[in-house]
Amino acid sequence: MTGSAGNERKPSGPPPALLTGAVADALRATDGRTGGVYLCSATSPLLRLAVLAGLPGPLFRPWWRVHMDRPFPVADVYRTGVPVVLANATEMMRRYAQLAAGLPFQFGSLYVPIVADGRSFGVLAVLRPASAGAAEVQAERERLTAVADDLGAALLRLGADGGDVTWDEEPLCVRPPAAGPAPGRVGRFSWDPATDVVTLDEQARVLLGLPPDEFPGTLDALALAVDPTDAHRLPGLLHRTARGRPPPLPLQVRTTEGGLRLLELWDATGVATRPGDAPAASSALPRPIAGVLLDPGPGALADGAADLLPEGVFCLDRLGLVVYANARAGHLLGVPRGRLVGRSLWEAVPWLNQPTCEEHLRGALLSPEPAHFHVRLPVTTDPSSVPRPYEGDWLRVSLYPGADLVTCKAVPANRVPNDAAPERPETDAPASGTAASTAPIYRPIVLAIALTEAVTARQVSAVVMQELLPAFGGRRLAIYLLQERHLYLAWESGFPEGFLAPFEGVGLDARLPGVETLTTGRPLFFDSMQQLADAYPGIDLDASEGARAFLPLIASGRPVGSCILGFDRSRSFSSEERTVLTALAGLIAHAMEKAQRYDTEAALARGLQQALLPRRLSQHARVETAGRYLPGTEGMDVGGDWYDVVEAGDGLALVIGDVQGHGVQAAATMGQLRSAVRAFALGDRPPEEVMGGTNHLLIDLDPGQFASCCYVRLDPATGLARAVRAGHLPPLLRHPDGRTEVVELPGGVVLGVDPRAHYPVTELRLEPGAILALYTDGLVERPGHDIDDGITDLRRALAGAGAGHRPAETDTAGPTAEARSGRSLADVADLLTATARQAADRADDIALLLATRRAAEVTHGKRAGHGP
């Protein structure tokens, strides 16, 4: 746990008030106590957390950014535009095991897209108490969607005015709207006696009842803000604190309206003093002081009853800020109350910055269940700390969640009353003489689940970079794989450009840490670059001064490669870290071994598919054709889409089809169908017979798959086309004058379902210079969008892409249509598939076939276009 609970900087991106207001509205519209806004990054394919309300940012750092391709609800909602409702932990585990493993607590959540005018900006999320099912929170989802729509409209206006609608900063951590009276509100202030300048933050002004921007900033003005019975003693207390004598307990003062406030004071220079200490030698000059003003709220905190309890009691707000601590809590934690109240727990008690505390505090903030754990008290040599009679012993810490506060109780573990039965079995209680039972620094199950979803070496490497590296604070990653007793770089990130080039292809006899960790099977850890240089004299080092970890990748006793983790700063590796990293290296090795087998099988499958697709399209002097095929990037990268151009008597048959599913089976079925259609077409059978015969063949083969198909028999001389389709998407036709339309074909059911299916024929005419486009659904289908919208977008793209493709004129001596336009049909095909070709992830494969007629006078010497 590091960092501050709040953020005082002014980040780039949308105005913070816009985002924080939307989160507050979202929480009011739902039963949530925690919410956040994710926005797109301007520099990488990430969604970054812009605002987090109701949770301490440092505790949730792993979720500050989400890659758009990861299996998390935030990424899915952004990609698909469809809200996600996870009613409880069971639903989360069923749908998002990775998220459930990282946050294994009882809570529900809602996620809705932030969109406007077809543009996606990010995701609005709310965490709420668990419920029985999604139906119970349906109304909340609708209200949350309305808030997200309003935010999307505001971001759209902001972007239109030139404003920044992306986010690349750390998140703003803010408090949620209070469920009722707001106990434990804390304001900060400071006073410099040299200048008599008093500085109040906004919360302190609110607690004192001061109007905004009307505080003169002097000690006298501060005194006037409290009850007259307290005003006369306040300056004297501040002056004594400035000379090294802070009051021993929080001061009770009342505002001019009678509200009770607790005042804590300390030396702002960082030189700590305890009540009763003699003034320091330098105290002749008054020093600046700082303090917090606390509204303890109603109940025990206000009347001081908790100060009388024998247990240590302290309260945290939902940002992890200590808003109350009794004297016993300060005594047990070894921190004066003045250094506890108004600070984040991990800032005030840094030795609590350990995984056990983090994990249980996360649970207390996310679920209503109390949490209990043990933590060992460190032995301190800090003279400013409060002496602890139990140093080296254990504390039993209990956390009791509330709507606005988490109440914490601490007692010495060896002094728990015999009649104090625990609320639930304490499986993490430390045995006598053993080390503290701490949670692993990183949950191996999270990485294991992510690795099971990675199928290629590239995906495995990306998971390591996205999941493992941030968990340990790493900045650099290199993964080498073993091939024929040499190591070759498979992935690198963060190293200077070209730095790793000299190490490419090194043999197993080289004396390098990345080699020796594999040959010996032992991980190597270096706390600094100097330590690495001493162990390997003469090795090339990059300019950083950080630590390095070299991990062997060994699966089932077989060497797979090496993994190198780099850190920006020197650091030591605890025994726990070494154990966890070594275990995770084994997981990575098994995933890499599986990925290598997959890559080999995928290469064979791609070879099969390439063999089945036409290497050259049939030619005709009067017709130009162009085809494109793009495999999907999920699964085996092979599917059942195909296209073909076949000589059919004195005409040409244009064919496109799509077999259900992906993988080798879909490709094999596609090959059989393509052969059948070719055979029927070469016999110049009527289109309805071609489709009917292919349907019966697929039913007889019974591969357990169905297919869609569109078949067009074109007469090049007249332009008459007779078209038939079986469950396939309708063709597009761009006329010579630029008009583009969807060709409505009545069609029949998909192939392989109904042996009595009928496939009606539709006639159309293809004028010279017109373009007929046949395509599969991978080109027009996008998750979360209607396929008709995708067809409309393709039609518009065809209209623009074919703008220069005009029919040839009758002058036989004139230039050809392609020469005049400067754009061939192949160029048009490339333009229509450009966006899909650049996409890193394609859920489906894509086939496209274009055809156009040439005028008779310019066909001499012309050839048809080819496939890819």
Side-chain angles (χ1 to χ4, degrees):
M1 295 182 287
T2 57
S4 171
N7 303 74
E8 297 180 357
R9 50 166 176 58
K10 293 182 179 180
S12 59
L18 174 64
L19 303 179
T20 56
V23 175
D25 290 343
L27 295 178
R28 294 188 188 99
T30 62
D31 192 25
R33 294 297 301 148
T34 298
V37 170
Y38 282 88
L39 295 178
C40 297
S41 167
T43 59
S44 54
L46 294 173
L47 292 166
R48 291 188 180 273
L49 186 60
V51 172
L52 177 63
L55 290 174
L59 273 184
F60 293 83
R61 185 179 293 271
W63 296 273
W64 281 11
R65 63 178 200 169
V66 176
H67 285 258
M68 293 179 181
D69 61 347
R70 301 303 298 146
F72 286 96
V74 170
D76 280 357
V77 169
Y78 177 78
R79 289 196 310 268
T80 65
V82 178
V84 167
V85 177
L86 303 175
N88 47 49
T90 301
E91 181 71 7
M92 186 190 303
M93 176 60 77
R94 184 181 69 82
R95 298 179 59 185
Y96 296 97
Q98 240 181 286
L99 178 62
L103 292 171
F105 310 113
Q106 291 295 326
F107 68 95
S109 52
L110 299 88
Y111 309 84
V112 297
I114 303 171
V115 296
D117 196 24
R119 181 176 177 182
S120 298
F121 296 98
V123 176
L124 182 60
V126 166
L127 309 186
R128 66 181 309 284
S131 60
E136 294 185 16
V137 295
Q138 181 64 30
E140 291 187 15
R141 194 196 81 168
E142 297 301 325
R143 294 195 295 268
L144 187 63
T145 299
V147 176
D149 289 344
D150 289 343
L151 177 57
L155 292 174
L156 184 67
R157 292 191 297 270
L158 178 65
D161 294 338
D164 187 3
V165 295
T166 61
W167 193 272
D168 283 292
E169 306 282 342
E170 291 187 357
L172 295 166
C173 299
V174 299
R175 288 174 176 78
R185 292 182 297 162
V186 173
R188 295 173 179 266
F189 73 92
S190 62
W191 175 58
D192 186 348
T195 61
D196 193 34
V197 173
V198 175
T199 302
L200 301 175
D201 68 3
E202 181 179 358
Q203 187 70 286
R205 289 198 300 271
V206 171
L207 292 176
L208 290 172
L210 295 171
D213 304 324
E214 293 186 15
F215 179 62
T218 64
L219 185 54
D220 289 340
L222 180 63
L224 290 174
V226 300
D227 187 272
T229 58
D230 295 320
H232 72 278
R233 64 190 181 101
L234 183 59
L237 290 169
L238 294 174
H239 278 287
R240 283 198 295 273
T241 303
R243 293 190 177 274
R245 293 188 178 274
L249 293 173
L251 303 171
Q252 292 192 10
V253 297
R254 294 188 178 273
T255 67
T256 54
E257 296 181 354
L260 176 64
R261 304 291 182 257
L262 300 181
L263 191 65
E264 297 268 3
L265 303 173
W266 63 87
D267 182 356
T269 63
V271 180
T273 59
R274 293 201 302 269
D277 285 351
S282 60
S283 64
L285 295 177
R287 292 179 293 198
I289 65 171
V292 294
L293 196 68
L294 169 67
D295 171 13
L301 298 186
D303 60 21
D307 284 339
L308 306 177
L309 294 176
E311 300 94 349
V313 176
F314 56 98
C315 298
L316 309 175
D317 70 1
R318 296 198 62 83
L319 294 190
L321 206 68
V322 181
V323 297
Y324 171 79
N326 68 0
R328 182 62 168 164
H331 184 67
L332 289 174
L333 298 176
V335 181
R337 287 206 295 185
R339 289 168 55 190
L340 270 175
V341 178
R343 287 172 166 77
S344 65
L345 180 62
W346 39 90
E347 177 187 359
V349 193
W351 57 268
L352 285 177
N353 184 5
Q354 52 183 279
T356 293
C357 304
E358 289 186 353
E359 191 71 357
H360 286 94
L361 185 53
R362 271 194 288 265
L365 289 164
L366 289 174
S367 67
E369 296 294 325
H372 312 274
F373 62 95
H374 286 75
V375 63
R376 193 166 193 172
L377 292 164
V379 178
T380 179
T381 58
D382 182 2
S384 68
S385 65
V386 175
R388 290 188 298 259
Y390 311 111
E391 287 186 349
D393 289 338
W394 299 89
L395 279 183
R396 181 180 186 267
V397 180
S398 299
L399 308 175
Y400 301 93
D404 296 301
L405 297 177
V406 175
T407 301
C408 311
K409 183 175 71 175
V411 295
N414 56 346
R415 298 194 177 191
V416 178
N418 293 331
D419 59 350
E423 285 77 354
R424 63 183 181 186
E426 296 191 45
T427 58
D428 58 350
S432 176
T434 63
S437 172
T438 57
I441 294 172
Y442 184 69
R443 292 179 170 274
I445 187 64
V446 176
L447 181 63
I449 293 172
L451 288 175
T452 62
E453 299 169 350
V455 293
T456 67
R458 172 182 170 273
Q459 290 172 344
V460 171
S461 301
V463 166
V464 175
M465 185 184 72
Q466 296 166 8
E467 303 290 346
L468 175 63
L469 208 60
F472 288 87
R475 298 287 185 178
R476 294 170 170 80
L477 171 69
I479 294 180
Y480 285 86
L481 296 181
L482 183 65
Q483 297 178 21
E484 298 181 354
R485 296 187 60 78
H486 289 78
L487 289 173
Y488 295 92
L489 186 65
W491 182 279
E492 67 92 11
S493 176
F495 286 93
E497 184 177 357
F499 171 75
L500 297 176
F503 303 104
E504 179 72 1
V506 297
L508 294 185
D509 57 348
R511 190 174 185 275
L512 294 168
V515 174
E516 293 191 354
T517 189
L518 181 61
T519 56
T520 64
R522 298 194 312 271
L524 301 174
F525 299 94
F526 300 96
D527 296 350
S528 66
M529 296 298 279
Q530 184 59 51
Q531 193 179 87
L532 175 59
D534 293 342
Y536 292 87
I539 188 174
D540 291 336
L541 303 175
D542 60 274
S544 80
E545 296 296 329
R548 290 288 184 272
F550 296 84
L551 308 175
L553 302 182
I554 299 174
S556 304
R558 294 187 298 274
V560 175
S562 301
C563 178
I564 304 171
L565 304 179
F567 304 84
D568 283 347
R569 294 185 296 274
S570 298
R571 54 160 295 172
S572 59
F573 296 89
S574 67
S575 59
E576 183 185 23
E577 286 180 304
R578 294 173 185 240
T579 300
V580 172
L581 283 171
T582 302
L584 295 179
L587 293 177
I588 297 168
H590 281 283
M592 275 296 183
E593 185 183 46
K594 180 189 70 175
Q596 287 178 312
R597 290 196 303 267
Y598 173 89
D599 288 340
T600 300
E601 295 169 1
L604 293 174
R606 283 192 293 269
L608 168 64
Q609 188 177 45
Q610 289 299 321
L612 294 174
L613 288 171
R615 295 178 58 85
R616 180 184 296 273
L617 301 180
S618 296
Q619 304 174 20
H620 194 286
R622 295 288 300 273
V623 178
E624 178 187 359
T625 59
R628 295 293 181 267
Y629 175 80
L630 301 177
T633 58
E634 298 180 4
M636 276 286 186
D637 288 354
V638 294
D641 290 17
W642 91 94
Y643 62 88
D644 207 350
V645 178
V646 188
E647 294 181 7
D650 57 356
L652 285 180
L654 311 173
V655 189
I656 197 160
D658 182 359
V659 176
Q660 168 209 13
H662 302 86
V664 176
Q665 180 61 46
T669 302
M670 176 267 285
Q672 293 172 310
L673 292 185
R674 174 175 176 262
S675 298
V677 173
R678 285 187 67 88
F680 287 129
L682 288 170
D684 201 14
R685 303 281 292 275
E688 63 272 25
E689 292 186 19
V690 173
M691 201 63 67
T694 306
N695 178 48
H696 283 100
L697 174 66
L698 184 57
I699 292 174
D700 291 342
L701 290 173
D702 192 21
Q705 295 171 304
F706 59 83
S708 67
C709 185
C710 185
Y711 181 93
V712 180
R713 202 279 188 186
L714 175 64
D715 183 343
T718 64
L720 178 66
R722 304 182 71 241
V724 62
R725 69 185 181 109
H728 202 80
L729 297 173
L732 300 180
L733 179 62
R734 184 187 187 280
H735 296 279
D737 60 4
R739 291 181 299 110
T740 306
E741 65 174 301
V742 177
V743 180
E744 297 295 344
L745 304 180
V749 299
V750 292
L751 305 174
V753 174
D754 182 3
R756 295 168 298 185
H758 174 64
Y759 299 99
V761 177
T762 301
E763 292 188 354
L764 63 147
R765 189 168 299 277
L766 191 65
E767 300 294 337
I771 300 176
L772 183 67
L774 309 180
Y775 53 93
T776 58
D777 55 3
L779 188 60
V780 294
E781 197 169 32
R782 297 190 304 275
H785 296 268
D786 193 292
I787 195 169
D788 289 337
D789 295 335
I791 294 174
T792 300
D793 292 342
L794 179 63
R795 191 180 73 174
R796 291 171 179 167
L798 178 61
H805 203 95
R806 300 186 299 273
E809 298 182 9
T810 56
D811 184 1
T812 58
T816 65
E818 300 96 296
R820 286 194 309 276
S821 70
R823 180 177 294 162
S824 69
L825 200 63
D827 293 333
V828 176
D830 288 338
L831 286 169
L832 296 182
T833 57
T835 300
R837 194 180 300 274
Q838 295 167 4
D841 297 302
R842 291 188 297 272
D844 199 1
D845 44 347
I846 293 170
L848 173 70
L849 178 62
L850 302 180
T852 187
R853 287 179 63 223
R854 298 187 179 93
E857 292 82 0
V858 295
T859 57
H860 181 68
K862 292 294 176 186
R863 297 179 60 194
H866 301 286

